[in-house]
Amino acid sequence: MENFTGSFTQQEPIPEAAIAAALRVMQSGRLHRYNTAPGELAEAAALEEEFAALTGARYCLAVASGGYALACALRAVGVRPGDRVLTNAFTLAPVPGAIASLGAVPVFVGVTEGLVIDLEDLAAKLDQARVLMLSHMRGHVCDMDRLMALCDAAGVIVIEDCAHTMGAGWAGRPTGRWGTVGCFSTQTYKHMNSGEGGLLISDDPQIMARAVLLSGSYMLYDRHRAAPPPEAFADLRLVTPNISGRMDNLRAAILRPQLADLARQCARWNDRYRVVERGLAATPGLTLIERPAAEDFVASSFQFLLLDWNADAIRAVLARCAARGVELKWFGAPDPVAFTSRYENWRYAPSAPMPATDRILHGIVDMRLPLTFSLEDCALIARIIRAEVSAVFQGDLSAPATTTRAD
Ligand SMILES: *Cc1c(COP(=O)(O)O)cnc(C)c1O
């Protein structure tokens, strides 16, 4: 019997050019983004300029985390305490958390079998809020043409959570460039790794001026390159609170060489994804996620559905795969485990039950695909999952009890 011995949490090392750039920042002692010598361009400002150029956005702001970028975007578009904000029922905890951090109230929208926001459910709820925080959860991008048409017609502002879609798009347009604001994360498990970090993009000068001031720019905003001109700040500079959350030059220095290499890394993720996808094709009982032709995805993780399976059978698959070294996460678990949690676990944001969404969430199985895995590793992982899903599905339900070593 084959076993897998790799680590699902092992990322690649930081590239040598990034380490060298980090050393230069440390040697300079100028880690704070506004601590520049006369005429010097801070690493943070250079990163913003390069990320704006890559995405085609007019403006970009580097901040302390992806979650900070989300909350900052909500504040910058004018969300106030008590306001309702639409968001995905299938997402990670920092998304409703960002909404709750303003004293605003998340209103959850369902998920489809394609693991994207349910546009029918969204259409039915659009009259409940002025803002949608759209999470491209696990890199699945919905029909953005349709979503924007619905939101524009209802006058709903869209903020995109692109934590899992840096480098991805829909119909040739990058994610983060459809809504009014796009928010990205550079946390270790996302598509560029600075430990923690976030980026926010927009074409709107007022919103971006507010975001820059909110992030803690003091009156030094003229040291930004990818920010609106000073006039945009004139009416805002004294009425916008400083909610400190800047990115520092050390993180920016680590990110700039990674940004230059992003397209190549995205292609490597997708090579791994396609190997797993092929290996799992036509596995009885297992539903693969359809990827529409217009979706330019970047798959740094893999999801499949065990639709309408009972909980014990899903737990048996997880245990049997774990015993062979394949670490799967289950979004259907009744209690939050590691990064998985469900909308009803976020008790600060009460919600009505959504049976169609619960059926999908119950069946979602998830795994990371770090670039430290070879294509052969990915083929092996798929063979293991295929064998164990088949064994349990074909009714061999006595077997799991003897193989739950990883429980
Ligand atoms: C990671 C993540 C965030 C938050 O990013 P941090 O940089 O960790 O704060 C937001 N949304 C999703 C979907 C994420 O996976």
Side-chain angles (χ1 to χ4, degrees):
M1 180 151 30
E2 299 180 298
N3 288 320
F4 180 64
T5 55
S7 164
F8 283 78
T9 54
Q10 183 60 58
Q11 305 293 38
E12 291 191 302
I14 299 301
E16 285 301 329
I19 293 172
L23 284 175
R24 283 196 296 277
V25 170
M26 287 192 282
Q27 281 154 356
S28 78
R30 294 180 179 273
L31 274 68
H32 190 288
R33 68 170 297 162
Y34 299 124
N35 182 210
T36 47
E40 187 192 356
L41 177 66
E43 289 283 339
L47 172 69
E48 288 164 349
E49 198 169 41
E50 289 162 4
F51 195 70
L54 183 99
T55 53
R58 277 171 86 185
Y59 310 123
C60 175
L61 173 68
V63 294
S65 74
Y68 183 91
L70 295 175
C72 183
L74 289 167
R75 288 192 170 91
V77 303
V79 173
R80 323 233 358 148
D83 286 357
R84 293 155 75 82
V85 176
L86 295 158
T87 195
N88 305 57
F90 174 48
T91 187
L92 287 190
V95 179
I99 296 168
S101 78
L102 280 85
V105 181
V107 176
F108 297 109
V109 183
V111 65
T112 68
E113 281 188 32
L115 301 191
V116 295
I117 194 164
D118 180 345
L119 295 180
E120 307 305 321
D121 193 31
L122 176 64
K125 290 173 175 166
L126 276 174
D127 62 349
Q128 295 187 32
R130 204 173 59 80
V131 175
L132 164 66
M133 175 158 281
L134 172 67
S135 186
H136 302 297
M137 176 61 175
R138 282 293 185 253
H140 297 275
V141 184
C142 74
D143 181 337
M144 289 303 295
D145 289 298
R146 251 193 90 202
L147 178 130
M148 290 309 302
L150 286 170
C151 290
D152 288 347
V156 167
I157 297 170
V158 177
I159 297 171
E160 292 176 74
D161 165 24
C162 307
H164 298 156
T165 57
M166 186 183 284
W170 176 267
R173 186 180 174 103
T175 62
R177 297 288 299 136
W178 291 83
T180 302
V181 187
C183 301
F184 297 80
S185 168
T186 62
Q187 190 240 77
T188 293
Y189 295 112
K190 315 298 165 93
H191 296 177
M192 297 199 294
N193 177 8
S194 60
E196 305 285 355
L199 292 158
L200 195 148
I201 57 173
S202 181
D203 284 349
D204 186 301
Q206 287 281 295
I207 288 170
M208 194 48 103
R210 231 179 266 128
V212 169
L213 290 163
L214 285 164
S215 77
S217 63
Y218 302 94
M219 297 299 147
L220 301 167
Y221 42 80
D222 63 342
R223 299 202 196 164
H224 288 241
R225 285 284 190 94
E231 310 85 83
F233 293 83
D235 293 341
L236 299 170
R237 57 202 287 274
L238 303 180
V239 296
T240 307
N242 175 328
I243 306 179
S244 196
R246 295 169 302 274
M247 182 183 283
D248 57 89
N249 285 331
L250 187 55
R251 291 194 171 94
I254 290 171
L255 290 170
R256 290 180 62 210
Q258 295 182 56
L259 186 60
D261 203 27
L262 181 65
R264 189 181 69 92
Q265 298 292 73
C266 291
R268 292 177 64 215
W269 264 304
N270 287 354
D271 291 342
R272 283 152 183 76
Y273 183 90
R274 290 301 188 192
V275 169
V276 176
E277 190 181 47
R278 272 197 301 277
L280 293 180
T283 301
L286 181 150
T287 308
L288 287 172
I289 311 303
E290 247 178 76
R291 311 299 310 234
E295 187 193 25
D296 317 311
F297 65 83
V298 178
S300 51
S301 64
F302 195 99
Q303 293 73 41
F304 59 84
L305 294 171
L306 298 178
L307 262 186
D308 304 324
W309 285 46
N310 70 49
D312 285 343
I314 295 176
R315 284 198 192 94
V317 168
L318 262 62
R320 294 173 71 123
C321 287
R324 296 179 64 183
V326 174
E327 222 179 276
L328 302 175
K329 307 288 180 195
W330 179 36
F331 275 87
D335 278 316
V337 180
F339 60 81
T340 61
S341 61
R342 306 156 53 98
Y343 68 96
E344 74 262 31
N345 299 138
W346 306 322
R347 301 224 184 124
Y348 54 84
S351 52
M354 291 188 276
T357 283
D358 293 343
R359 170 176 175 255
I360 308 292
L361 288 175
H362 177 80
I364 299 177
V365 181
D366 179 277
M367 71 175 163
R368 290 197 174 104
L369 284 181
L371 291 174
T372 50
F373 288 2
S374 67
L375 298 181
E376 293 71 34
D377 290 338
C378 294
L380 169 59
I381 289 165
R383 284 198 297 278
I384 291 171
I385 296 173
R386 187 185 188 88
E388 298 307 334
V389 167
S390 302
V392 177
F393 186 71
Q394 277 150 19
D396 187 13
L397 283 177
S398 58
T402 63
T403 54
T404 49
R405 275 170 283 166
D407 260 0

